[in-house]
Amino acid sequence: MFVLVNLKAYPCDPVEIGTAAETVAAETGARIAVAPQAADLRAVADTGVETWAQHVSPVEHGSHTGSTLAERAAAAGAEGTLLNHSERRLRLADIDDAVAAAERAGLDTVVCANNPAQVGAVAQLSPDAVAVEPPELIGTGTPVSQADPDVVRAAVDAASEVGDVPVYCGAGISTGDDVAAARDLGAEGVLLASGVAKADDPEAALRDLVTDL
């Protein structure tokens, strides 16, 4: 199971969380990555933790003020990127271009989707993985694996109909039990944010997430 922690724009210390994630990953053998703000990519990557961008823009070099160029994210230490998070929606054509931009820069991709139908659609764009995240559950502490496990099962089925595209489970993940439940439903990873970024003790929260992996 892959644990991908999105720090969003929360008022947390990205280096502290990166350091904690690297410590837990090294001690447990779990695969943990942290996705900080673009300005913090290099600082987090310097902790040694697997570092992801929260977004890259569907553009190449050129006149694109305010865009996040995939090549610059990679140069700052990113190894992958989220795309189409519910808080950073893209049109399907732009998802396709953003996946291409990430591939051009050597970045892995996880494309987020609201439901199984969207999972099937974005899986056809050949990302490295898709994450099913019902937006109404994001930040609630209630995981989709508990609220509606059939959503996860259907997402896994939709992706498998397209090809060998791993499915991650997002929205409301906060405990090791949530991670285990996602795994048992066929997910190969989890995407979470507040469960770590808002935790009083991020390292303890991370340890709990990977205890049973």
Side-chain angles (χ1 to χ4, degrees):
M1 291 289 282
F2 178 33
V3 176
L4 178 51
V5 181
N6 177 14
L7 301 186
K8 300 190 176 183
Y10 288 135
C12 57
D13 184 336
V15 172
E16 177 190 1
I17 293 176
T19 300
E22 170 61 16
T23 297
V24 174
E27 292 180 2
T28 65
R31 184 186 175 196
I32 304 173
V34 175
Q37 287 280 297
D40 297 317
L41 281 169
R42 171 52 61 194
V44 171
D46 284 347
T47 70
V49 73
E50 183 175 340
T51 303
W52 281 52
Q54 294 181 6
H55 167 79
V56 297
S57 302
V59 299
E60 299 182 6
H61 288 89
S63 303
H64 304 294
T65 301
S67 296
T68 301
L69 190 65
E71 284 83 356
R72 298 313 304 158
E79 298 178 45
T81 184
L82 294 170
L83 294 171
N84 197 47
H85 190 277
S86 64
E87 297 161 359
R88 192 67 170 80
R89 282 284 176 230
L90 297 171
R91 297 175 303 173
L92 196 62
D94 288 335
I95 297 172
D96 194 17
D97 287 344
V99 169
E103 290 178 348
R104 189 179 67 234
L107 298 173
D108 289 339
T109 51
V110 172
V111 177
C112 299
N114 287 353
N115 54 54
Q118 290 185 14
V119 166
V122 298
Q124 296 185 57
L125 303 179
S126 300
D128 292 291
V130 293
V132 60
E133 279 200 313
E136 66 274 12
L137 295 177
I138 292 175
T140 64
T142 300
V144 63
S145 56
Q146 175 183 320
D148 194 351
D150 285 342
V151 167
V152 183
R153 296 189 187 98
V156 171
D157 289 344
S160 67
E161 289 177 4
V162 176
D164 186 20
V165 183
V167 172
Y168 299 160
C169 184
I173 301 291
S174 59
T175 70
D177 288 342
D178 298 339
V179 177
R183 177 193 60 203
D184 293 343
L185 291 169
E188 297 183 34
V190 293
L191 175 61
L192 72 151
S194 57
V196 172
K198 290 185 174 182
D200 292 334
D201 187 340
E203 183 172 331
L206 286 160
R207 289 188 186 282
D208 177 66
L209 286 168
V210 302
T211 295
D212 295 324
L213 299 185

